[in-house]
PDB file of all heavy atoms in Angstrom:
ATOM      1  N   SER A  57     -32.868 -28.756 -14.250  1.00 92.00           N
ATOM      2  CA  SER A  57     -33.263 -27.785 -15.275  1.00 92.00           C
ATOM      3  C   SER A  57     -33.629 -26.434 -14.661  1.00 92.00           C
ATOM      4  O   SER A  57     -34.001 -25.502 -15.358  1.00 92.00           O
ATOM      5  CB  SER A  57     -34.444 -28.328 -16.067  1.00 92.00           C
ATOM      6  OG  SER A  57     -35.545 -28.533 -15.205  1.00 92.00           O
ATOM      7  N   VAL A  58     -33.543 -26.366 -13.309  1.00 95.00           N
ATOM      8  CA  VAL A  58     -33.852 -25.099 -12.619  1.00 95.00           C
ATOM      9  C   VAL A  58     -32.729 -24.767 -11.634  1.00 95.00           C
ATOM     10  O   VAL A  58     -31.872 -25.608 -11.371  1.00 95.00           O
ATOM     11  CB  VAL A  58     -35.197 -25.191 -11.842  1.00 95.00           C
ATOM     12  CG1 VAL A  58     -36.376 -25.198 -12.790  1.00 95.00           C
ATOM     13  CG2 VAL A  58     -35.223 -26.413 -10.945  1.00 95.00           C
ATOM     14  N   THR A  59     -32.750 -23.563 -11.090  1.00 94.00           N
ATOM     15  CA  THR A  59     -31.702 -23.164 -10.143  1.00 94.00           C
ATOM     16  C   THR A  59     -31.894 -23.904  -8.816  1.00 94.00           C
ATOM     17  O   THR A  59     -32.980 -24.405  -8.530  1.00 94.00           O
ATOM     18  CB  THR A  59     -31.766 -21.646  -9.863  1.00 94.00           C
ATOM     19  OG1 THR A  59     -33.133 -21.309  -9.611  1.00 94.00           O
ATOM     20  CG2 THR A  59     -31.273 -20.849 -11.049  1.00 94.00           C
ATOM     21  N   ASP A  60     -30.849 -23.940  -7.997  1.00 92.00           N
ATOM     22  CA  ASP A  60     -30.931 -24.751  -6.781  1.00 92.00           C
ATOM     23  C   ASP A  60     -31.769 -24.127  -5.661  1.00 92.00           C
ATOM     24  O   ASP A  60     -32.010 -24.758  -4.643  1.00 92.00           O
ATOM     25  CB  ASP A  60     -29.532 -25.139  -6.269  1.00 92.00           C
ATOM     26  CG  ASP A  60     -28.613 -23.945  -6.149  1.00 92.00           C
ATOM     27  OD1 ASP A  60     -29.111 -22.805  -6.307  1.00 92.00           O
ATOM     28  OD2 ASP A  60     -27.408 -24.122  -5.907  1.00 92.00           O
ATOM     29  N   ASP A  61     -32.243 -22.896  -5.868  1.00 94.00           N
ATOM     30  CA  ASP A  61     -33.135 -22.308  -4.862  1.00 94.00           C
ATOM     31  C   ASP A  61     -34.608 -22.539  -5.220  1.00 94.00           C
ATOM     32  O   ASP A  61     -35.509 -22.080  -4.517  1.00 94.00           O
ATOM     33  CB  ASP A  61     -32.866 -20.805  -4.686  1.00 94.00           C
ATOM     34  CG  ASP A  61     -32.936 -20.044  -6.008  1.00 94.00           C
ATOM     35  OD1 ASP A  61     -33.336 -20.639  -7.028  1.00 94.00           O
ATOM     36  OD2 ASP A  61     -32.592 -18.849  -6.020  1.00 94.00           O
ATOM     37  N   TYR A  62     -34.842 -23.270  -6.315  1.00 95.00           N
ATOM     38  CA  TYR A  62     -36.211 -23.444  -6.840  1.00 95.00           C
ATOM     39  C   TYR A  62     -37.170 -24.058  -5.818  1.00 95.00           C
ATOM     40  O   TYR A  62     -38.230 -23.510  -5.532  1.00 95.00           O
ATOM     41  CB  TYR A  62     -36.175 -24.310  -8.103  1.00 95.00           C
ATOM     42  CG  TYR A  62     -37.534 -24.573  -8.713  1.00 95.00           C
ATOM     43  CD1 TYR A  62     -38.111 -23.659  -9.586  1.00 95.00           C
ATOM     44  CD2 TYR A  62     -38.251 -25.725  -8.414  1.00 95.00           C
ATOM     45  CE1 TYR A  62     -39.370 -23.884 -10.139  1.00 95.00           C
ATOM     46  CE2 TYR A  62     -39.506 -25.962  -8.960  1.00 95.00           C
ATOM     47  CZ  TYR A  62     -40.054 -25.045  -9.828  1.00 95.00           C
ATOM     48  OH  TYR A  62     -41.300 -25.270 -10.358  1.00 95.00           O
ATOM     49  N   HIS A 189     -35.133 -16.055 -13.550  1.00 93.00           N
ATOM     50  CA  HIS A 189     -33.960 -16.473 -12.785  1.00 93.00           C
ATOM     51  C   HIS A 189     -33.938 -17.994 -12.600  1.00 93.00           C
ATOM     52  O   HIS A 189     -32.897 -18.627 -12.731  1.00 93.00           O
ATOM     53  CB  HIS A 189     -33.971 -15.759 -11.419  1.00 93.00           C
ATOM     54  CG  HIS A 189     -33.278 -16.501 -10.321  1.00 93.00           C
ATOM     55  ND1 HIS A 189     -31.904 -16.606 -10.256  1.00 93.00           N
ATOM     56  CD2 HIS A 189     -33.760 -17.179  -9.242  1.00 93.00           C
ATOM     57  CE1 HIS A 189     -31.578 -17.320  -9.185  1.00 93.00           C
ATOM     58  NE2 HIS A 189     -32.689 -17.684  -8.554  1.00 93.00           N
ATOM     59  N   GLN A 190     -35.112 -18.573 -12.340  1.00 94.00           N
ATOM     60  CA  GLN A 190     -35.168 -20.016 -12.066  1.00 94.00           C
ATOM     61  C   GLN A 190     -34.900 -20.872 -13.297  1.00 94.00           C
ATOM     62  O   GLN A 190     -34.386 -21.987 -13.185  1.00 94.00           O
ATOM     63  CB  GLN A 190     -36.564 -20.386 -11.527  1.00 94.00           C
ATOM     64  CG  GLN A 190     -36.859 -19.849 -10.141  1.00 94.00           C
ATOM     65  CD  GLN A 190     -38.318 -20.067  -9.760  1.00 94.00           C
ATOM     66  OE1 GLN A 190     -39.203 -20.112 -10.618  1.00 94.00           O
ATOM     67  NE2 GLN A 190     -38.584 -20.197  -8.470  1.00 94.00           N
ATOM     68  N   ARG A 192     -33.069 -22.287 -15.705  1.00 88.00           N
ATOM     69  CA  ARG A 192     -31.637 -22.417 -15.969  1.00 88.00           C
ATOM     70  C   ARG A 192     -31.335 -22.802 -17.416  1.00 88.00           C
ATOM     71  O   ARG A 192     -30.285 -22.505 -17.960  1.00 88.00           O
ATOM     72  CB  ARG A 192     -31.086 -23.475 -15.021  1.00 88.00           C
ATOM     73  CG  ARG A 192     -29.594 -23.645 -15.096  1.00 88.00           C
ATOM     74  CD  ARG A 192     -29.160 -24.767 -14.189  1.00 88.00           C
ATOM     75  NE  ARG A 192     -28.799 -24.274 -12.875  1.00 88.00           N
ATOM     76  CZ  ARG A 192     -28.522 -25.074 -11.846  1.00 88.00           C
ATOM     77  NH1 ARG A 192     -28.601 -26.378 -11.996  1.00 88.00           N
ATOM     78  NH2 ARG A 192     -28.184 -24.566 -10.680  1.00 88.00           N
TER      79      ARG A 192
END
Side-chain angles (χ1 to χ4, degrees):
S57 61
V58 288
T59 47
D60 51 9
D61 54 8
Y62 179 85
H189 153 73
Q190 291 171 331
R192 185 184 267 172

